[in-house]
Amino acid sequence: MAAPRRDTRGIVDPAGLLTRVRFRRHEPAEPLRRYIERYWFIDWDLPEPYASHVVPHPSVHLTFQQDERSPYAELTGIPGGLYTRKLTGRGRVCGVKFRPGGFRPYAPEHPVSHWTGETLAARDVFPQITTDTARSVVAPATDEARVAALDAFLLPLAPAEPDPQADLATALVDRVHDDRTVRRVDDFADTAGLSVRALQRLFSAYVGVSPKWVILRYRIHEALELAGTRSEVDWATLATDLGYADQAHLVRDFTATVGVPPTAYAQATAG
């Protein structure tokens, strides 16, 4: 198995989190990669509580967890705002990050927007999950064994046939992620060969949030990363590069999402 890679985009103060937890990510089995971006593992043993904060990605997560409770599993739709998790004592999370568009084929009875803002017992969506299922994922001592357990659970549930609409949704979200020139929903819809309404319906059904949400969120991720890693940031130029009308719009969105202005965040992480 290849060495685990770190992926911290979206994590508020990643340095603070990574001094307190062991964070790794791994690829799922090849047949699952159409639907699942990665597995992510966190283990901690803390002398005092710590609150982690994440600016969410447009992804649904399935997590198998062990803390003060018996092993359990949760499904988390895309949070509307900042996602906060309080870590206490000793614990472990083995997470499955579905690709944008990749969760709907596993739960086709509802649009993905049905789960947005929701955290619920995973068995409400996957009745196959029991306490023993959760234990089989979180109990092994090695990452290799945990990956194997996740693969063993998810492979039999993989859709029998690809869903072209899911593939289209994934491709469009990937384009927003990779292409800074995607700034306006109407232009984006036009280049995708869709009406704005059709694009919005596709995103509601297969991603869970609107195209505008995805565009803004990926830009905030980039601003967050730059604020935390660069000693000097030209915010006016960055605002223009990210498609904002001016610096004030970037500052307003950043503050509303993260909770503090970008300059204050940069100073706090530098300290």
Side-chain angles (χ1 to χ4, degrees), residues 85-165:
R85 169 70 186 267
K86 188 175 182 179
L87 306 178
T88 60
R90 178 180 296 179
R92 173 177 296 171
V93 177
C94 298
V96 178
K97 181 183 181 183
F98 287 87
R99 292 187 180 280
F103 179 72
R104 177 70 185 273
Y106 278 84
E109 67 277 7
H110 292 293
V112 180
S113 58
H114 177 79
W115 315 109
T116 298
E118 299 291 332
T119 297
L120 62 156
R123 65 177 175 273
D124 292 346
V125 184
F126 297 102
Q128 306 89 341
I129 294 179
T130 64
T131 299
D132 286 342
T133 308
R135 182 175 291 108
S136 73
V137 174
V138 298
T142 68
D143 282 10
E144 290 82 358
R146 298 181 211 173
V147 168
L150 287 170
D151 285 343
F153 172 72
L154 290 162
L155 280 168
L157 302 179
E161 298 292 336
D163 181 339
Q165 290 294 98

Side-chain angles (χ1 to χ4, degrees), residues 47-269:
E48 57 186 32
Y50 175 77
S52 67
H53 307 282
V54 178
V55 177
H57 294 244
S59 296
V60 174
H61 290 258
L62 172 65
T63 54
F64 296 85
Q65 307 185 43
Q66 171 74 72
D67 45 36
E68 68 278 1
R69 291 174 280 177
S70 298
Y72 63 100
E74 289 183 335
L75 184 83
T76 304
I78 301 169
L82 197 66
Y83 176 77
T84 298
R85 169 70 186 267
K86 188 175 182 179
L87 306 178
T88 60
R90 178 180 296 179
R92 173 177 296 171
V93 177
C94 298
V96 178
K97 181 183 181 183
F98 287 87
R99 292 187 180 280
F103 179 72
R104 177 70 185 273
Y106 278 84
E109 67 277 7
H110 292 293
V112 180
S113 58
H114 177 79
W115 315 109
T116 298
E118 299 291 332
T119 297
L120 62 156
R123 65 177 175 273
D124 292 346
V125 184
F126 297 102
Q128 306 89 341
I129 294 179
T130 64
T131 299
D132 286 342
T133 308
R135 182 175 291 108
S136 73
V137 174
V138 298
T142 68
D143 282 10
E144 290 82 358
R146 298 181 211 173
V147 168
L150 287 170
D151 285 343
F153 172 72
L154 290 162
L155 280 168
L157 302 179
E161 298 292 336
D163 181 339
Q165 290 294 98
D167 291 343
L168 175 60
T170 299
L172 290 174
V173 174
D174 284 347
R175 183 181 160 202
V176 177
H177 180 274
D178 297 335
D179 186 354
R180 271 192 179 187
T181 67
V182 178
R183 299 175 177 178
R184 294 173 52 87
V185 173
D186 52 353
D187 293 339
F188 183 38
D190 186 58
T191 59
L194 299 170
S195 68
V196 170
R197 183 64 190 131
L199 182 67
Q200 291 170 335
R201 286 197 300 266
L202 176 70
F203 271 55
S204 176
Y206 283 88
V207 182
V209 288
S210 70
K212 181 178 180 180
W213 190 100
V214 175
I215 292 170
L216 292 176
R217 187 49 48 92
Y218 279 142
R219 303 308 169 242
I220 290 296
H221 279 175
E222 188 162 355
L224 183 71
E225 184 174 52
L226 291 172
T229 58
R230 290 189 182 177
S231 57
E232 297 290 338
V233 178
D234 184 336
W235 294 106
T237 299
L238 179 61
T240 300
D241 289 346
L242 295 180
Y244 284 92
D246 53 37
Q247 181 178 344
H249 282 79
L250 168 60
V251 171
R252 187 158 52 245
D253 278 353
F254 189 104
T255 305
T257 303
V258 180
V260 295
T263 51
Y265 176 78
Q267 291 169 358
T269 53

